[in-house]
Amino acid sequence: MLTIRNFIDGQLVEPAGRAYFDDIDPATGEVCAQVPDSDHRDVDAAVDSAKRAFGAWSATPAAERSRILLRIADLIERDLDELARSECIDTGKPLSVARSVDIPRAVNNFRFFATAILHTKSETHQTDTEALNVTLRQPRGVAGLISPWNLPLYLFTWKVAPAIATGNTAVGKPSELTPTTAHRLAALCQEAGLPAGVLNIVHGLGAKAGAAIVSHGDVPTISFTGGTETGSQIARTAAPMFKRLALECGGKNPTIVFADADLDDALPVSVQSAFANQGQVCLCGSRIFVERSVFDQFVDRFVERSSALRVGDPMEQGTDLGALISKEHLAKVESYVALAQDEGGTIRCGGARPAAFNERCRGGFFLQPTVITGLNAQCRTNREEIFGPVVTIMPFDDEEQVIGFANATQYGLSASLWTSNLDRAHRVAGQIQSGTVWVNCWLLRDLRVPFGGMKHSGLGREGGDEALRFFTEPKNVCIKLRNERT
Ligand code: NAD
């Protein structure tokens, strides 16, 4: 069985306390690896190493940093099959998804930021004939990078790549539920020649290892992706320490379908948006609002498509939905299915665990794709993040009403709206409270655009220039110009 190690000062090492806990394969319920139960001693060692590495790494020419990051990207691509398999075992997601989405995106994250640092511009401002201002962008020191389990290597590298590309060193903590691909990344960083201490990875529990990173006095930058409650807790620790914070938190994203939309386009994408990764993507469209004149038709077709999705062994070809991340998470999602019924909802399909489909997955954490109608927009089922294969569909009568429905949660991460009327698309997009609005599409990503949420979905933005700015400190140097002739 695989024993995960911390990655500190360029070495794969045991945790100081020599304590480990189990990593469970959600598709089988069996233990698949041992995870270091790290504590503040491991975090202290990782931060010390990152501090020592900072001077040389921040002074390394951008072209050299870029070359090393590109090498890491090539190595991830070389090992795509093995990494995808690890991601599948850790998360329960279909192997096909890990192969086509998760691991390729990790490659792209490194390539994107490795090349972005070669093309950034510095700002200068001339104050008439009196002075010239040159704004330097300097790395900030040791960055603390904390990531969730739903897209493990994808989201971990989305932080690691910009942090180290810009000359910071880092201490990362992947989710304790999905540590394996980060462990393999450590070995690839060694192979790529990343200097010791530039990236350190400490595995363990959020409340112990994660909290030790957040409260460490020598980690001035914290980038976190995870739940809203955890984000709020991290902010309570970090704010009085004047740390720079990026929080990418939960979502409860609306999909809005107007009657003039092309339903042949809207239906398959809405189904995908509801159930991709078992509904465990922060951007999943979990509340669907459909204009009343096409509501019945939409629901019938949506239910038909959802019922046809295959819940199965994540390792098998043709599986659309794999397992949910854990037994506890499955129980939480099921509690929302029960709540929806208490709130007057009707289960149109799913709502239960699937019948056993093979011996290997008998102990796995599976749930059928579940479609619920008959709820109002303000009920708890429609306000709280479920983060599973559960979607609600409600009718609406006009633009104003659906904008009110869409904005009726504390979250504001993304929205998807479907219409053939361009004026309406602009009008509605302008009024939706979310960091991203997709029109006639979903999850069409360009790594250059600002990515993040409004309201309780987060603080700050990742992606493109936003990430380069986040991980650097602007320092303005004002140079007085002497105008006398000599
Ligand atoms: P989580 O908040 O439980 O954990 C996220 C990470 O934070 C893990 O590494 C965990 O160990 C760590 N952590 C937990 N408590 C901590 C603490 N007190 N101090 C420091 N670190 C701590 O979230 P999760 O269950 O892993 O992920 C699911 C959530 O992530 C969902 O709410 C989802 O919407 C959100 N998410 C958001 C985005 C986004 O970009 N906005 C992307 C993916 C997932």
Side-chain angles (χ1 to χ4, degrees):
M1 181 176 313
L2 177 68
T3 300
I4 307 281
R5 301 279 187 218
N6 288 334
F7 183 49
I8 297 177
D9 210 27
Q11 302 298 318
L12 290 162
V13 294
E14 282 220 76
R18 307 235 184 285
Y20 291 82
F21 54 82
D22 293 340
D23 179 14
I24 306 288
D25 174 349
T28 63
E30 307 280 330
V31 178
C32 59
Q34 292 296 309
V35 190
D37 184 5
S38 307
D39 60 30
H40 68 93
R41 290 170 292 176
D42 303 290
V43 170
D44 288 347
V47 174
D48 285 347
S49 164
K51 277 169 61 184
R52 283 195 302 276
F54 179 68
W57 181 246
S58 58
T60 300
E64 177 58 14
R65 280 186 263 132
S66 174
R67 265 195 295 277
I68 295 174
L69 266 67
L70 288 171
R71 237 178 273 147
I72 298 173
D74 289 346
L75 294 175
I76 297 174
E77 199 165 48
R78 181 196 70 189
D79 291 355
L80 187 142
D81 283 333
E82 191 196 340
L83 288 162
R85 225 184 116 74
S86 297
E87 210 70 297
C88 170
I89 293 169
D90 258 4
T91 59
K93 70 175 66 195
L95 180 59
S96 57
V97 173
R99 280 185 55 88
S100 60
V101 178
D102 291 71
I103 310 305
R105 173 60 188 275
V107 173
N108 288 345
N109 289 339
F110 274 105
R111 290 205 175 126
F112 179 85
F113 287 107
T115 49
I117 53 168
L118 303 177
H119 303 281
T120 51
K121 297 189 191 90
S122 319
E123 287 173 41
T124 58
H125 298 88
Q126 184 163 351
T127 312
D128 303 319
T129 55
E130 211 182 337
L132 188 63
N133 292 279
V134 180
T135 310
L136 307 177
R137 284 260 162 201
Q138 298 177 317
R140 306 189 78 240
V142 182
L145 313 173
I146 300 174
S147 58
W149 49 259
N150 63 330
L151 297 159
L153 193 65
Y154 174 134
L155 288 175
F156 189 58
T157 55
W158 184 229
K159 297 181 185 304
V160 169
I164 65 175
T166 47
N168 299 278
T169 54
V171 177
K173 197 202 82 64
S175 169
E176 58 272 32
L177 300 176
T178 54
T180 309
T181 47
H183 172 68
R184 299 202 187 286
L185 175 68
L188 299 182
C189 289
Q190 284 176 322
E191 190 180 341
L194 186 72
V198 172
L199 173 63
N200 301 272
I201 302 175
V202 178
H203 294 277
L205 301 172
K208 208 195 267 187
I213 295 172
V214 174
S215 61
H216 199 294
D218 292 329
V219 182
T221 310
I222 301 288
S223 175
F224 163 81
T225 299
T228 290
E229 193 43 52
T230 314
S232 150
Q233 216 172 320
I234 288 175
R236 281 198 289 277
T237 305
M241 299 176 81
F242 295 94
K243 296 193 178 211
R244 184 174 292 179
L245 262 186
L247 303 173
E248 301 292 342
C249 301
K252 185 73 179 177
N253 311 301
T255 298
I256 301 172
V257 182
F258 286 96
D260 62 13
D262 182 338
L263 291 193
D264 292 337
D265 276 350
L267 270 153
V269 179
S270 305
V271 170
Q272 192 204 0
S273 140
F275 300 122
N277 207 36
Q278 300 72 247
Q280 302 168 134
V281 181
C282 54
L283 305 164
C284 274
S286 51
R287 299 177 293 149
I288 305 183
F289 300 103
V290 183
E291 197 163 356
R292 198 175 295 278
S293 60
V294 293
F295 180 77
D296 289 339
Q297 184 201 153
F298 184 94
V299 171
D300 288 348
R301 291 174 66 184
F302 192 97
V303 168
E304 192 185 326
R305 280 178 171 275
S306 304
S307 311
L309 293 172
R310 191 171 148 219
V311 183
D313 187 334
M315 286 290 178
E316 277 177 16
Q317 281 278 349
T319 291
D320 296 305
L321 275 79
L324 275 66
I325 187 65
S326 66
K327 197 172 167 182
E328 294 73 24
H329 190 59
L330 172 60
K332 178 194 148 184
V333 174
E334 286 178 319
S335 78
Y336 274 102
V337 175
L339 173 70
Q341 288 168 289
D342 288 348
E343 291 185 316
T346 304
I347 311 274
R348 304 295 288 258
C349 68
R353 300 181 187 192
F357 39 81
N358 70 17
E359 196 48 41
R360 191 181 94 84
C361 295
R362 200 167 275 281
F365 316 129
F366 296 88
L367 188 69
Q368 293 171 338
T370 302
V371 179
I372 303 170
T373 56
L375 292 170
N376 70 54
Q378 283 82 20
C379 67
R380 270 186 60 206
T381 308
N382 272 329
R383 280 186 288 116
E384 297 176 14
E385 185 183 45
I386 301 173
F387 216 55
V390 177
V391 68
T392 60
I393 316 184
M394 283 74 52
F396 70 88
D397 294 305
D398 57 44
E399 266 179 48
E400 195 185 333
Q401 185 186 45
V402 77
I403 290 165
F405 287 169
N407 292 339
T409 77
Q410 64 168 346
Y411 297 106
L413 191 56
S414 71
S416 178
L417 66 94
W418 295 82
T419 175
S420 56
N421 179 333
L422 190 59
D423 290 331
R424 189 195 331 252
H426 278 299
R427 214 165 37 234
V428 176
Q431 293 178 76
I432 299 286
Q433 296 165 345
S434 68
T436 298
V437 179
W438 279 291
V439 178
N440 295 330
C441 60
W442 176 72
L443 202 43
L444 212 169
R445 290 281 288 119
D446 182 323
L447 302 189
R448 293 169 298 181
V449 306
F451 177 83
M454 294 172 63
K455 303 200 287 191
H456 289 202
S457 285
L459 200 67
R461 294 290 184 273
E462 295 187 307
D465 290 344
E466 300 281 342
L468 298 176
R469 286 201 196 96
F470 176 77
F471 285 110
T472 53
E473 190 73 34
K475 179 189 288 175
N476 193 65
V477 180
C478 175
I479 305 163
K480 172 106 171 72
L481 299 175
R482 297 182 64 144
N483 292 309
E484 315 92 71
R485 295 227 166 110
T486 52

